[in-house]
Amino acid sequence: DIVMTQSPDSLAVSLGERATVNCKSSQSVLYSSNNKNYLAWYQQKPGQPPKLLIYWASTRESGVPDRFSGSGSGTDFTLTISSLQAEDVAVYYCQQYYITPYSFGQGTKLEIK
Amino acid sequence: EVQLVESGGGLVQPGGSLRLSCAASGFTFSSYSMNWVRQAPGKGLEWVSDIRISSTTTYYADSVKGRFTISRDNAKNSLYLQMNSLRAEDTAVYYCARNPIGGAGYFDLWGRGTLVTVSS
């Protein structure tokens, strides 16, 4: 099974500053035949279901603000929020869908400093 | 409106059974693979099971294999999860989640969830 590990577990960033969340998979999630990374990012606010932000490691879901971006390949990935807004306070999860069982990182709690 | 609405959660004793339902609307349900994902109180997300368009192909997390059964009724636009031999560690909010067209394994639509509590 693929284990997903996020860092840090929690993060406090000032409004308008950059926030960076890291995600590492225990094996590569890059499928060589199509050169796609099977990695997604989600945002979950308290009392709400998760919301898809990014898929294929760097493709932004429709309607997601462009301050959110994803990067990385193979086993190392990053979610970046370029200029933190108050509404971005949430827990962020990465997920691999390279193979079942699909697996999530443990989550990174993002707060305002 | 495109949405998923779960129901069927509640309090059940250890060893008991429960059947969750997920009603889909606003999209062609039969064209999408579907999943159950759970979240224990204060914890992270755990994928539980998925069922492909054909209904004959299903997958399960090891933690529920042999105890849970996923199924779908495309005529009723509904997804189900039959949960047997429930344990305290199955206590969680259970989300119904859709895979995108094409079947990639990320989740582009989520329901609001239904809470299952396993306790005596």
Side-chain angles (χ1 to χ4, degrees):
Chain A
D1 296 359
I2 298 178
V3 176
M4 308 299 290
T5 304
Q6 292 180 225
S7 62
D9 289 335
S10 63
L11 180 63
V13 175
S14 300
L15 289 173
E17 296 299 304
R18 177 183 301 258
T20 300
V21 181
N22 300 301
C23 175
K24 189 174 184 68
S25 57
S26 61
Q27 66 185 74
S28 177
V29 297
L30 173 63
Y31 193 39
S32 56
S33 67
N34 60 10
N35 201 37
K36 286 187 173 183
N37 287 282
Y38 286 56
L39 190 285
W41 289 97
Y42 301 87
Q43 174 193 66
Q44 187 178 32
K45 297 181 179 180
Q48 296 185 19
K51 172 189 173 183
L52 176 66
L53 297 176
I54 303 280
Y55 56 95
W56 301 127
S58 61
T59 302
R60 200 178 304 114
E61 172 74 331
S62 175
V64 173
D66 59 8
R67 63 180 181 274
F68 291 90
S69 63
S71 62
S73 184
T75 61
D76 293 279
F77 300 90
T78 300
L79 173 70
T80 301
I81 307 173
S82 60
S83 176
L84 189 70
Q85 305 299 302
E87 61 265 31
D88 300 335
V89 168
V91 178
Y92 292 84
Y93 295 93
C94 61
Q95 178 229 342
Q96 67 79 19
Y97 51 97
Y98 183 83
I99 192 170
T100 58
Y102 302 136
S103 47
F104 294 87
Q106 79 276 18
T108 294
K109 186 174 185 179
L110 177 57
E111 300 173 314
I112 304 295
K113 185 186 291 183
Chain B
E1 182 186 2
V2 175
Q3 63 177 354
L4 299 169
V5 179
E6 302 92 338
S7 61
L11 175 63
V12 60
Q13 291 189 338
S17 299
L18 212 54
R19 188 194 195 206
L20 305 184
S21 299
C22 171
S25 59
F27 64 97
T28 305
F29 178 73
S30 59
S31 297
Y32 293 82
S33 296
M34 297 296 297
N35 300 257
W36 290 97
V37 178
R38 68 184 181 183
Q39 186 169 35
K43 303 297 184 182
L45 301 167
E46 180 188 16
W47 172 82
V48 171
S49 181
D50 95 58
I51 184 166
R52 304 300 163 91
I53 295 170
S54 68
S55 293
T56 57
T57 303
T58 59
Y59 298 92
Y60 297 92
D62 285 347
S63 57
V64 306
K65 201 173 295 182
R67 301 187 298 123
F68 290 11
T69 302
I70 191 171
S71 62
R72 66 191 297 163
D73 186 336
N74 289 338
K76 293 184 177 180
N77 294 330
S78 293
L79 176 72
Y80 306 100
L81 186 68
Q82 177 66 44
M83 305 186 295
N84 298 330
S85 303
L86 282 161
R87 307 166 180 166
E89 54 265 36
D90 296 318
T91 294
V93 173
Y94 284 74
Y95 295 104
C96 172
R98 186 184 78 175
N99 294 133
I101 283 283
Y106 61 89
F107 311 112
D108 68 348
L109 179 67
W110 296 69
R112 297 201 64 83
T114 186
L115 176 62
V116 172
T117 303
V118 184
S119 174
S120 55

